[in-house]
């Protein structure tokens, strides 16, 4: 039980740590404090989820160029694009990208509850898909 750093190789230093797990609520664990020691001095800590301040600072940086965020920290804020989605769909159709699906469930109350429980468990490998009734 050496923690995240031990699981990641201990003293190894990385250019980037891309944290897709941490969250900013009472349930999710924040891994930044454990993961930062794995970074090289100029390494970047990138996360999908952050605090309210992180989101405001990220928008401020995008709009004005001012970076008020902590050192070597990036909050990934994606930009949605229909063109990008069409490109991805084409790659899937060509078999060049294969989506990983953890579970396909019918769209009903029991299955939605089951799907969200699986999602919250953080044990799903791939996406959880809810299938509409084909009738």
């Amino acid at each position: 039980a050496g923690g995240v750093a031990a699981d990641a190789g201990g003293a190894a230093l990385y250019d980037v740590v891309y944290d897709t797990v941490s969250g900013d609520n009472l349930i999710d664990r924040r891994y930044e404090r454990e993961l930062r020691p794995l970074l090289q001095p100029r390494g970047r800590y990138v996360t999908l989820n952050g605090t309210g301040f992180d989101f405001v600072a990220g928008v401020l940086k995008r709009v004005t160029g001012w970076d008020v965020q902590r050192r070597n920290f990036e909050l990934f804020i994606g930009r949605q694009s229909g063109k990008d989605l069409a490109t991805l769909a084409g790659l899937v159709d060509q078999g060049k990208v294969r989506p990983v699906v953890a579970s396909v469930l019918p769209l009903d109350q029991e299955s939605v509850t089951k799907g969200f429980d699986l999602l919250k468990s953080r044990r799903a490998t791939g996406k959880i898909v809810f299938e509409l009734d084909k009738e």
Side-chain angles (χ1 to χ4, degrees):
V4 176
D7 294 342
L13 294 179
Y14 299 93
D15 295 323
V16 176
V17 170
Y18 189 63
D19 180 1
T20 63
V21 180
S22 291
D24 187 38
N25 60 52
L26 297 176
I27 298 169
D28 294 328
R29 185 169 164 195
R30 302 251 344 132
Y31 290 97
E32 183 177 0
R33 184 172 288 151
E34 292 177 61
L35 294 172
R36 276 204 174 262
L38 297 176
L39 287 171
Q40 293 185 22
R42 297 182 132 195
R44 305 292 291 174
Y45 178 83
V46 181
T47 186
L48 293 178
N49 300 303
T51 65
F53 174 82
D54 294 335
F55 280 95
V56 170
V59 170
L60 183 67
K61 182 178 177 181
R62 179 184 280 177
V63 172
T64 68
W66 295 345
D67 189 357
V68 296
Q69 201 52 273
R70 55 199 170 278
R71 190 177 68 76
N72 298 342
F73 178 92
E74 285 290 330
L75 177 67
F76 179 82
I77 301 176
R79 292 184 177 159
Q80 298 174 353
S81 162
K83 182 180 176 186
D84 290 346
L85 186 57
T87 299
L88 284 173
L91 293 171
V92 169
D93 291 343
Q94 296 168 27
K96 294 181 178 178
V97 172
R98 185 180 57 87
V100 177
V101 177
S103 186
V104 178
L105 302 168
L107 185 59
D108 59 43
Q109 183 61 49
E110 181 181 337
S111 297
V112 168
T113 300
K114 179 181 174 184
F116 275 94
D117 287 344
L118 179 58
L119 178 69
K120 289 188 288 185
S121 77
R122 300 211 173 173
R123 298 294 178 245
T125 301
K127 296 298 181 182
I128 301 164
V129 177
F130 295 102
E131 188 171 55
L132 297 174
D133 189 4
K134 294 181 180 180
E135 295 178 19

